[in-house]
Amino acid sequence: MSSSSDVDGNVNVGDTLKAYAYCAQVTRLSSATFHLAASLGPDDVRDRIFALYAFCRALDEATDGDNLSLNESKQKIDKLERDLRAAFSDDDDAALANCGCEAVALADTVRRTPSLSMQPFEEMIQGMRSDLRDDVRFNTWDDDLRTYCYRVAGVVGLMCVAVLGTKREANQKDAEEAAVDLGIALQLVNVIRDVGEDARERRRLYLPLDSVNRVGLSAEELFSSEYTPDERYERLVEGEIQRALLYFRRSLRGLPALPLFARIPTMAAADIYGALLAKVRMNGYDNLSQRAYTTSSEKILALPGILLRAIGRTPTLKVCGDSAYTNWLAKPEPARSLVQDLLVMVELSNKSDDDHAVEAAAKALECCNPCTSPARDSLLLGEWELVWSSPGSDFARLERRLRGGPLEGQAKSLQEIGNGYSRNVVVFPGDFVRVVITATVDADSVKVDTTNVGPPYTFELQIAGISIPLKFPAEFAQERTCLRTLYLDEDLKISRVGAFGERTTEGSLFVHVRRRAEQSRDL
């Protein structure tokens, strides 16, 4: 479509309206669910979201469109890159003269969205061009595939945040990072859903090769129509499902920053698309010979629940429920992602007082202990800071008692484990008053993930740096406590605590992170 101009240099209103109508139609035909969800927002925002979708869809079609030769794909992407520069050009009349509807609508969107940058679009074009290589493979997640997912999908999150906006009190950077994480999660769903189509029709493999090789498979096996999924492949796909779930969970922190009208389409995209992961599992992890999909009725039935969760104080995604965890967590591949997952759940829980997700993540990790061997002294010794404890723990009860009192604020619990002793320090708000408990430590040489802590104890109160020795409470005098600790890596550990005697805290969960030298002055 060509554009004409009026006296002030803008694209004619009639042409712009037609361009937006075209973008709406492209969205509806490509994704009726997303079209419905986006239509729930204000007209102004809805039109601009359709413009973003249509331009990104045009790039996708230029890369993967049916019956396109490699040269034709390159030409189409080059044309869309020129259209992009025209949309962001100050000289709209001349620049848009030979552009398509997507660019005309995008140009108007750019004018109406000052924070919308051209860089995310340029990153996307770079990612799409990488799909036109002769040999599309990715060696690792960290170095290769994550960059690709960011370019072709993560950047869409940046575009959408610019259009949707955030609440006035929200942290813009946090919202953008969460939006990128959601884009990466959605792209990982694409990768998992389309393995067979990509590998056997296009000779492309988007699963990281180090993960493929780790389970004992090769790229050539996956390309072969003779290969059928086996236990190795199930492990491989479940590992990637866990990676996607991690990024869905990381995106949770951005939902409260969005206005209500923006939460609904965002959550709809996440939940309905994320449901494909469960479909892959239901299909026996066979995404080589069949393609997972959700029905129209399933999508429609999901919307009421999405709406109810969107208006909640702490909005959640259904895809992040307990069903995300399976027995496959005992396999090695998901472990690294699950460690990150636990920390994300801790961060969210500390903001919302929703402890269930932390417990679920910890239980999952306890099922699969990602350590190659149990903890040794080199991991045990050192200084740790408590970042989360279960509501029934002594420290959690202490924090609750501080509320409303003269020391109201965030108490801090520090731990130092040395050769033969364990020192626990409770730092009260204001860093003026602290309690120090020191106990003996007996590290069992056989069960090295278990530490027995017991008498003799020393108990002291510190006020403004002055130590006042106190008699240890009588009810603790004969008690030995068993700390079963799972060392996830050198900087993170979770502990289940049980006591021998009448008083027991069996089941209390603690999450600690290692303190570095610059943090250690408190001890």
Side-chain angles (χ1 to χ4, degrees):
M1 184 185 95
S2 63
S3 63
S4 55
S5 59
D6 56 22
V7 291
D8 62 4
N10 294 322
V11 176
N12 278 345
V13 173
D15 285 343
T16 304
L17 291 177
K18 289 178 183 177
Y20 276 123
Y22 172 82
C23 292
Q25 182 182 27
V26 167
T27 307
R28 181 176 57 80
L29 294 176
S30 301
S31 177
T33 304
F34 183 78
H35 181 274
L36 175 61
S39 297
L40 298 175
D43 291 349
D44 171 60
V45 173
R46 177 203 63 197
D47 289 343
R48 287 182 288 158
I49 289 293
F50 289 160
L52 295 180
Y53 184 96
F55 191 86
C56 295
R57 180 68 183 175
L59 277 170
D60 188 59
E61 287 293 322
T63 306
D64 292 329
D66 295 334
N67 302 318
L68 285 178
S69 67
L70 179 61
N71 189 52
E72 287 172 333
S73 290
K74 290 179 178 178
Q75 289 177 358
K76 282 182 173 291
I77 292 177
D78 288 345
K79 170 66 165 58
L80 285 167
E81 185 173 31
R82 292 193 295 272
D83 285 2
L84 173 67
R85 299 191 183 284
F88 278 87
S89 171
D90 293 331
D91 186 9
D92 293 326
D93 293 343
L96 290 170
N98 297 307
C99 290
C101 293
E102 302 93 343
V104 175
L106 181 60
D108 189 68
T109 296
V110 169
R111 283 193 298 274
R112 294 157 63 188
T113 315
S115 60
L116 187 60
S117 165
M118 186 163 63
Q119 183 177 354
F121 296 91
E122 292 175 320
E123 293 269 12
M124 176 172 279
I125 289 173
Q126 189 174 354
M128 294 296 184
R129 282 201 172 109
S130 71
D131 279 333
L132 303 181
R133 294 176 293 167
D134 292 334
D135 186 15
V136 177
R137 303 188 190 189
F138 299 86
N139 291 323
T140 66
W141 166 254
D142 290 326
D143 297 333
D144 298 309
L145 185 54
R146 188 193 179 283
T147 299
Y148 172 79
C149 289
Y150 168 76
R151 284 175 173 165
V152 300
V155 294
V156 178
L158 299 176
M159 301 174 195
C160 289
V161 168
V163 171
L164 296 172
T166 57
K167 291 182 176 179
R168 184 174 301 176
E169 68 277 10
N171 184 305
Q172 185 76 10
K173 183 179 179 182
D174 287 348
E176 289 175 347
E177 289 177 352
V180 168
D181 287 336
L182 180 56
I184 290 174
L186 297 175
Q187 181 60 26
L188 281 169
V189 174
N190 265 338
V191 167
I192 294 165
R193 180 193 62 188
D194 298 338
V195 174
E197 182 180 316
D198 288 328
R200 295 178 178 180
E201 294 180 20
R202 300 188 176 98
R203 298 286 294 180
R204 299 176 184 172
L205 185 62
Y206 293 91
L207 300 175
L209 288 175
D210 62 341
S211 298
V212 173
N213 297 333
R214 190 177 294 120
V215 299
L217 286 169
S218 68
E220 293 309 314
E221 284 180 278
L222 302 185
F223 288 144
S224 171
S225 59
E226 306 264 325
Y227 176 76
T228 56
D230 55 19
E231 189 269 348
R232 296 172 300 165
Y233 188 72
E234 292 174 6
R235 286 173 54 193
L236 171 64
V237 175
E238 180 59 34
E240 297 311 307
I241 287 176
Q242 292 298 330
R243 198 193 306 278
L245 291 171
L246 166 66
Y247 278 89
F248 275 118
R249 288 188 178 85
R250 289 177 59 166
S251 73
L252 283 170
R253 69 189 188 278
L255 292 179
L258 296 176
L260 179 59
F261 73 82
R263 286 185 198 174
I264 297 171
T266 301
M267 294 173 64
D271 276 11
I272 294 172
Y273 221 58
L276 293 172
L277 299 177
K279 294 282 186 175
V280 170
R281 285 173 173 160
M282 289 171 60
N283 291 341
Y285 295 92
D286 182 8
N287 51 9
L288 291 172
S289 64
Q290 53 186 314
R291 196 172 191 260
Y293 67 92
T294 51
T295 65
S296 298
S297 59
E298 287 173 327
K299 295 172 183 176
I300 293 171
L301 290 173
L303 291 177
I306 292 169
L307 179 60
L308 288 175
R309 282 182 281 114
I311 62 178
R313 185 170 65 92
T314 306
T316 60
L317 299 177
K318 190 174 182 180
V319 71
C320 296
D322 285 343
S323 62
Y325 296 109
T326 74
N327 291 335
W328 289 100
L329 296 182
K331 307 303 179 183
E333 174 55 26
R336 181 174 53 183
S337 294
L338 289 171
V339 170
Q340 300 171 28
D341 191 1
L342 176 65
L343 287 175
V344 172
M345 292 298 98
V346 165
E347 179 184 352
L348 293 172
S349 175
N350 287 336
K351 293 180 180 179
S352 67
D353 293 328
D354 180 10
D355 303 304
H356 179 73
V358 180
E359 289 279 2
K363 286 178 182 177
L365 280 161
E366 289 171 330
C367 289
C368 76
N369 187 352
C371 291
T372 55
S373 62
R376 300 291 175 182
D377 282 351
S378 61
L379 287 181
L380 174 68
L381 303 181
E383 298 168 348
W384 304 82
E385 180 169 353
L386 180 70
V387 293
W388 187 91
S389 63
S390 53
S393 71
D394 289 338
F395 184 73
R397 288 198 293 267
L398 171 64
E399 283 203 302
R400 288 197 295 271
R401 288 172 185 167
L402 292 176
R403 295 174 186 172
L407 294 175
E408 181 172 13
Q410 187 71 35
K412 181 163 56 177
S413 177
L414 310 174
Q415 183 183 55
E416 180 183 9
I417 300 177
N419 286 312
Y421 74 93
S422 172
R423 179 184 301 149
N424 288 286
V425 182
V426 178
V427 183
F428 288 80
D431 200 24
F432 186 74
V433 178
R434 54 181 64 194
V435 172
V436 182
I437 301 173
T438 304
T440 59
V441 172
D442 175 24
D444 191 307
S445 61
V446 178
K447 297 180 179 179
V448 291
D449 61 343
T450 301
T451 302
N452 291 318
V453 180
Y457 293 100
T458 62
F459 186 40
E460 60 183 297
L461 178 68
Q462 293 182 355
I463 302 177
I466 301 174
S467 296
I468 306 172
L470 300 173
K471 182 179 179 181
F472 203 84
E475 63 267 27
F476 287 82
Q478 301 303 316
E479 186 177 280
R480 292 188 66 82
T481 302
C482 175
L483 299 174
R484 183 169 180 81
T485 303
L486 179 64
Y487 293 85
L488 305 176
D489 57 25
E490 293 185 354
D491 296 308
L492 179 68
K493 67 187 180 80
I494 59 176
S495 306
R496 295 279 180 186
V497 179
F500 300 98
E502 293 182 3
R503 180 180 176 278
T504 179
T505 55
E506 181 65 46
S508 290
L509 175 68
F510 299 86
V511 181
H512 285 82
V513 295
R514 189 180 294 276
R515 292 169 60 79
R516 295 303 182 184
E518 62 270 16
Q519 299 176 301
S520 301
R521 294 187 298 272
D522 291 319
L523 288 174

